[in-house]
Amino acid sequence: MTSRHPEAGRHRSSEPQPLHGPELAEALHHAARAARQQLGAVAAAVYLLDEHQGELRLALAGGSAPSFFTFPGRMKPDSVAATARAWASGRAAVLIDPDPADPAQQHALPYPYAAASAPVTAGERRFGALTVLRLETAGPFPPRELSALEEIGGELARALEKLADQGVTVAAGPMPMLVPPDSKVDTSVSTPGWGVRSVPGSAGTSMMYPLRRLADLLNRATTVDDVVRAAQYCVMAPLRARALALVSASEGRLWVLGHSGDSSTMVRGLHGVSVDERTPAAQALGGRPLFVHDVEPPGPGLPVPDEQPRTVAYLPLTDDGQFIDLPLTSGRRVVGVCCLTFDGMREFPPEERALLGMMTGQLGAAVERVELSARQRAVAECLQRFLLPPQLADLPRLPTTARYRPAGTTSNVGGDWYDVITLPGACAVLVVGDVEGHAMESAAVMGQVRTAMASYAAEGHRPATVIDRTRCLLDRLGTDLTVTCCVVALDTMDGTAEVALAGHPAPLLRTPEGNIRTLDAPANVPLGVTVPDPYQAREHTLDPGSILMLWTNGLVDWHPSDPQTRAHVLLGSGESGASTPDLEHLADLIITEACATQQPRDDAVVLLARYEGTPGQEEPRVAGLHIQRRDLLGARTARTFVHDQLDTWGLQDLSDTLELVASEIVTNALIHAGSDVDVRLRAFEDHLRLEVRDSDSNPPVPSHLTLAAEENARAEHGRGLLIVESLVDDWNSSPNGKGKTVALNLPIPPR
C-alpha cells in the first residue's frame, strides 16, 4: 500500500555536481567531434571518472540523436565494456558482437553498433575514456584507426590536465552534454546550464537525455520509491534542485508519497494539508503549473527574519529559497503534484518549462501505475491471507508452525496453502497443497479444495480417501487447473503417521538425532488428472522429538536439479545433533535461506510439526487464553492467566517478568491489530514459551527513544516493545495465516 507517513520514500540526495565550465565543455566537444570525423563514427562520447562514486560517468556525447542515446550514463571501472577496459588498461579496446573479451556477452550492445574506446590519460593522471560508435556493417576497427583514437584521447588528456592545473574541476555534470552533428558555431541561442553554449541545438538536445532516462527508469519502476529515485536522478539533479516531493490527494487532503533531498520541512508543510487551503500545491492540483518567484513578507506585528522572507499564505515552508509545484498528470487527469525547491531565486526559460511539463507527464503516469499495482497487490495479499487458516490448531504433543512466502515476480494471488485439522482421539491431519498458476481462478480453486479436504478429514476419512474424494469434487468444478497436495494423518498417542500424495513432494522428517529422511509414499498423480485407480498411502512411525516438514516446490524452485536434496539441507538448518530446535526459529531460517539466493519465481509453503511424545511420558504443560477484541480488561486478564499458570506449574519465580511481557504484547495487539487475541503458554524442561496471536500481519516494530526529536515526536506506538526487548533476549514475530504470532522464550533456571 502507498505509505502516508511523512518519512515514506525518503532518499538522500546525491553529492553536488559541478557545473560545466565553458573551457571543459569545448575541450570535450572538440575531442568527440574529431573522433567522429576521423573514424567515420555515428556517435562519440567522453567518460570521466567520478572518484566519489567510483564509476565512469558520461560527460559529453555527440552525433546522431538515435545513436548517442545508447551510451550508458555510468559504468563500473571493472566492467568488460570497451570504455572501462580502455580506462583500466591504458590501451585502446573494442566491443564487437561477439566479443572475445566477453564470452557471456553481458555487455554486448543491444544496438547495431561496434564500439571502440581509447584512454584519456596524461602521465599518472587517468581522467577517463573516449568512445566511438560505428555501424557494425562497417567492419572491425583497423589498428591505424585505433592508433588515431588513442592520439585524440591523449590530446584530450593533455588539455584536461592543463585545465585541472588552472583550477578547473574536471568532472562530469549531473547530466551529460549532448551535441548534434554538423553544428555551426553560434553563441546567440543557449539555455544556461545545458549543453555546449557555442553549439546551436546542444542545450535542447541535452535536455532530451534526462527525459529519455526518466522514461527508461519509470518503465522499470514497480514502487513509489522507484519513481522517487528516478525523479531524483533525472529531474532533481539536472535542475540542481534542493529537494523534491511527490504528493497525491485523497480524502480531501494532500499526502506525501515520497521525497528526496533536504525535504523534511517541505514534507511537514505538505503532508495532511487540506486541498481546500490556498496552497500552491493544492492549486497545482487544478492542472496549472505554478512557478512561484516571490514570497510574501510576514504579517503585521511579526518579526522580519534574517533570511529571505518565507511564504506563509500558500505553503508554510520554513526553509529558504524558492519552490515550484508542478501538476503530475496522467492523460488529462491530475493525479498528484511534484514539488521542487531551489536555493535562491531562479528563472525558468521556456525550454525548461516545456521539459518539466514532459517529465511530470511521465511521472504522473508512473505514479498512477504503481499505485494501482500496489492496490492490486494489497487486494491479492488480503485474499491470500483470508484463504489461509487464521491460525494453526495444535495438540498438546504436536506444536506446529507454518510460513507462506509469495512469489517475487508476480503481484497476483497464488494457489499454495497449508492446514492443520485436529480430530478426536489426539489425532491431527497436516495438509499442504499447490494449485497451478497465479490468478484469481487459482485462488478460487485453492479455497474450494482446502475446504473440501478439511471437511473430509474432519469426517474421519483416511488421507488417501480425503484426496480421492477431493479429486471427484474437482472434476465437478470443471476447471482445467491441476492440484498437487500432501496429506499426513498423525496419531499423537503412538506416533503413527499415514502419508498420501497427489503428485506432490514427499514430506521430510528430522529425527531427534538430527538426521533427515524422506517419508516415502506412492507419488500418485495430481488432482485434475484422470486416474482409474484409487490413491495409495503409506504408514510410518515417528520417534518422540521428530520434526515433520511438509512443503511446496516453490521453496526450491530456483534449485531444480535436485529439489529433494535442497529441501533436506533446509530442514537441517540451524542447530544440529541431538539439540531440539525451536520451530519458529527453524521456520524463519528455512524461509530466509530458501529466498536468499534469488528472487522466488513461485509461492512457497513450509509447515513444521514436532511430535513430542507418547502417553507413557509426562503430560505436556500447555495452556491457552482467548481475549476478545476491544476487551478493556484484556491485558489484566492476560497477567492473571500467566500468574495462575506459572503458580500451578511451580514456576512462580518467572511470574513477574512474564506477566509484564505478556501484558505489553497483548496491549499492543488489542490496540493496533484491532482483533481477537489468542495467548498460548507452554512449559518445556528448560524454558517457557509464550505466543500471542492476532489478525494483523504487519510486524511489531519497537520505536526507540534515541531518535531525533522530529522523528521521536511522530512515533505513535512500539514503546511497549522496548520493555519486551529489555526483558527478553529471544523473541520474534512471524506471519501466520491472516495474522501474526509474537513468540518469546524465557529460560527456566536449573533447580
Side-chain angles (χ1 to χ4, degrees), residues 22 33 83 94 98 121 130 160 168 202 210 229 245 265 290 373 401 437 442 451 474 536 605 607 645 741:
R33 180 171 55 186
T83 302
V94 297
T121 305
L130 172 64
L160 296 181
V168 176
S202 176
R229 279 188 288 267
T265 316
L290 298 179
S373 178
T401 190
S442 301
T451 301
L474 192 64
Q536 302 295 321
V605 159
L607 172 62
Q645 284 303 137
T741 298

Side-chain angles (χ1 to χ4, degrees), residues 301-359:
L302 295 179
V304 178
D306 296 333
E307 307 86 10
Q308 177 181 346
R310 301 180 177 90
T311 180
V312 293
Y314 299 102
L315 190 63
L317 295 176
T318 57
D319 54 340
D320 296 334
Q322 179 188 355
F323 62 89
I324 64 173
D325 294 277
L326 301 169
L328 298 181
T329 62
S330 178
R332 296 183 178 180
R333 189 169 65 87
V334 177
V335 299
V337 174
C338 172
C339 306
L340 297 170
T341 67
F342 298 87
D343 289 320
M345 305 301 291
R346 191 185 193 284
E347 295 296 329
F348 294 91
E351 295 83 359
E352 283 190 342
R353 295 195 181 206
L355 174 65
L356 287 169
M358 291 185 286
M359 286 179 164

Side-chain angles (χ1 to χ4, degrees), residues 229-487:
R229 279 188 288 267
Q232 175 186 330
Y233 175 58
C234 299
V235 181
M236 181 179 167
L239 290 169
R240 299 174 180 86
R242 179 178 180 178
L244 173 144
L246 300 181
V247 183
S248 68
S250 64
E251 301 175 357
R253 294 189 177 274
L254 300 177
W255 305 107
V256 175
L257 303 175
H259 54 104
S260 178
D262 188 8
S263 54
S264 60
T265 316
M266 177 172 61
V267 168
R268 286 199 302 271
L270 288 169
H271 198 67
V273 174
S274 172
V275 297
D276 295 329
E277 294 189 25
R278 289 188 55 81
T279 63
Q283 293 182 55
L285 285 170
R288 178 183 178 184
L290 298 179
F291 296 86
V292 180
H293 296 282
D294 299 315
V295 292
E296 296 183 358
L302 295 179
V304 178
D306 296 333
E307 307 86 10
Q308 177 181 346
R310 301 180 177 90
T311 180
V312 293
Y314 299 102
L315 190 63
L317 295 176
T318 57
D319 54 340
D320 296 334
Q322 179 188 355
F323 62 89
I324 64 173
D325 294 277
L326 301 169
L328 298 181
T329 62
S330 178
R332 296 183 178 180
R333 189 169 65 87
V334 177
V335 299
V337 174
C338 172
C339 306
L340 297 170
T341 67
F342 298 87
D343 289 320
M345 305 301 291
R346 191 185 193 284
E347 295 296 329
F348 294 91
E351 295 83 359
E352 283 190 342
R353 295 195 181 206
L355 174 65
L356 287 169
M358 291 185 286
M359 286 179 164
T360 52
Q362 293 180 357
L363 287 171
V367 166
E368 188 173 46
R369 174 173 55 81
V370 298
E371 286 206 293
L372 176 61
S373 178
R375 289 193 294 269
Q376 291 174 338
R377 276 197 305 273
V379 171
E381 291 171 1
C382 180
L383 176 60
Q384 184 75 63
R385 289 198 302 269
F386 275 92
L387 288 174
L388 295 175
Q391 64 183 35
L392 292 179
D394 48 323
L395 297 172
R397 293 187 177 86
L398 192 69
T400 59
T401 190
R403 297 292 184 272
Y404 170 81
R405 182 207 63 192
T409 57
T410 177
S411 62
N412 293 327
V413 65
D416 290 19
W417 87 93
Y418 58 87
D419 211 346
V420 176
I421 304 105
T422 58
L423 304 176
C427 293
V429 178
L430 312 177
V431 182
V432 297
D434 183 4
V435 181
E436 69 170 317
H438 295 86
M440 287 300 177
E441 183 182 1
S442 301
V445 171
M446 182 265 278
Q448 292 173 307
V449 170
R450 176 188 165 236
T451 301
M453 284 194 167
S455 300
Y456 294 140
E459 290 177 358
H461 296 290
R462 305 281 290 271
T465 305
V466 169
I467 294 178
D468 197 54
R469 293 198 171 202
T470 305
R471 175 187 61 81
C472 296
L473 173 66
L474 192 64
D475 291 342
R476 291 195 295 271
L477 292 178
T479 179
D480 294 330
L481 300 179
T482 58
V483 181
T484 67
C485 63
C486 170
V487 181

Side-chain angles (χ1 to χ4, degrees), residues 615-748:
Q617 297 177 330
E618 181 183 353
E619 185 71 19
R621 293 174 293 179
V622 181
L625 171 70
H626 180 79
I627 302 174
Q628 293 185 346
R629 61 187 303 182
R630 301 189 182 93
D631 185 351
L632 300 179
L633 302 179
R636 188 174 72 179
T637 304
R639 291 195 299 271
T640 302
F641 163 74
V642 170
H643 179 275
D644 293 345
Q645 284 303 137
L646 295 188
D647 185 64
T648 301
W649 295 339
L651 300 173
Q652 300 90 336
D653 294 343
L654 302 177
S655 184
D656 290 343
T657 299
L658 203 59
E659 284 181 49
L660 179 57
V661 169
S663 176
E664 295 298 337
I665 298 178
V666 168
T667 299
N668 191 69
L670 288 172
I671 293 177
H672 301 294
S675 68
D676 289 3
V677 177
D678 286 295
V679 181
R680 294 190 180 187
L681 191 60
R682 182 186 293 266
F684 296 91
E685 291 183 2
D686 58 348
H687 69 279
L688 281 167
R689 181 172 183 82
L690 175 71
E691 297 179 358
V692 179
R693 303 179 179 182
D694 59 53
S695 298
D696 182 9
S697 60
N698 293 319
V701 179
S703 297
H704 297 288
L705 295 171
T706 57
L707 299 174
E710 175 182 326
E711 297 172 340
N712 196 43
R714 286 195 298 268
E716 298 176 354
H717 57 82
R719 301 299 190 217
L721 293 177
L722 291 176
I723 299 176
V724 177
E725 283 195 332
S726 66
L727 295 176
V728 181
D729 294 330
D730 184 9
W731 77 280
N732 60 30
S733 173
S734 58
N736 191 352
K738 64 179 181 179
K740 68 174 178 296
T741 298
V742 177
L744 60 91
N745 295 316
L746 195 64
I748 298 177

Side-chain angles (χ1 to χ4, degrees), residues 435-578:
V435 181
E436 69 170 317
H438 295 86
M440 287 300 177
E441 183 182 1
S442 301
V445 171
M446 182 265 278
Q448 292 173 307
V449 170
R450 176 188 165 236
T451 301
M453 284 194 167
S455 300
Y456 294 140
E459 290 177 358
H461 296 290
R462 305 281 290 271
T465 305
V466 169
I467 294 178
D468 197 54
R469 293 198 171 202
T470 305
R471 175 187 61 81
C472 296
L473 173 66
L474 192 64
D475 291 342
R476 291 195 295 271
L477 292 178
T479 179
D480 294 330
L481 300 179
T482 58
V483 181
T484 67
C485 63
C486 170
V487 181
V488 179
L490 180 60
D491 189 339
T492 63
M493 299 296 291
D494 57 11
T496 301
E498 185 175 357
V499 181
L501 305 174
H504 198 86
L508 300 180
L509 186 74
R510 176 170 172 162
T511 67
E513 298 75 26
N515 300 318
I516 311 296
R517 65 183 180 90
T518 302
L519 295 186
D520 295 318
N524 300 312
V525 298
L527 304 178
V529 177
T530 303
V531 54
D533 301 321
Y535 285 81
Q536 302 295 321
R538 184 169 298 168
E539 282 192 358
H540 299 267
T541 301
L542 310 187
D543 294 328
S546 298
I547 296 177
L548 190 62
M549 183 175 93
L550 284 68
W551 51 288
T552 61
N553 56 15
L555 196 68
V556 292
D557 63 347
W558 55 271
H559 200 280
S561 58
D562 194 356
Q564 277 283 349
T565 299
R566 179 57 186 166
H568 278 67
V569 173
L570 292 175
L571 182 55
S573 302
E575 304 91 338
S576 60

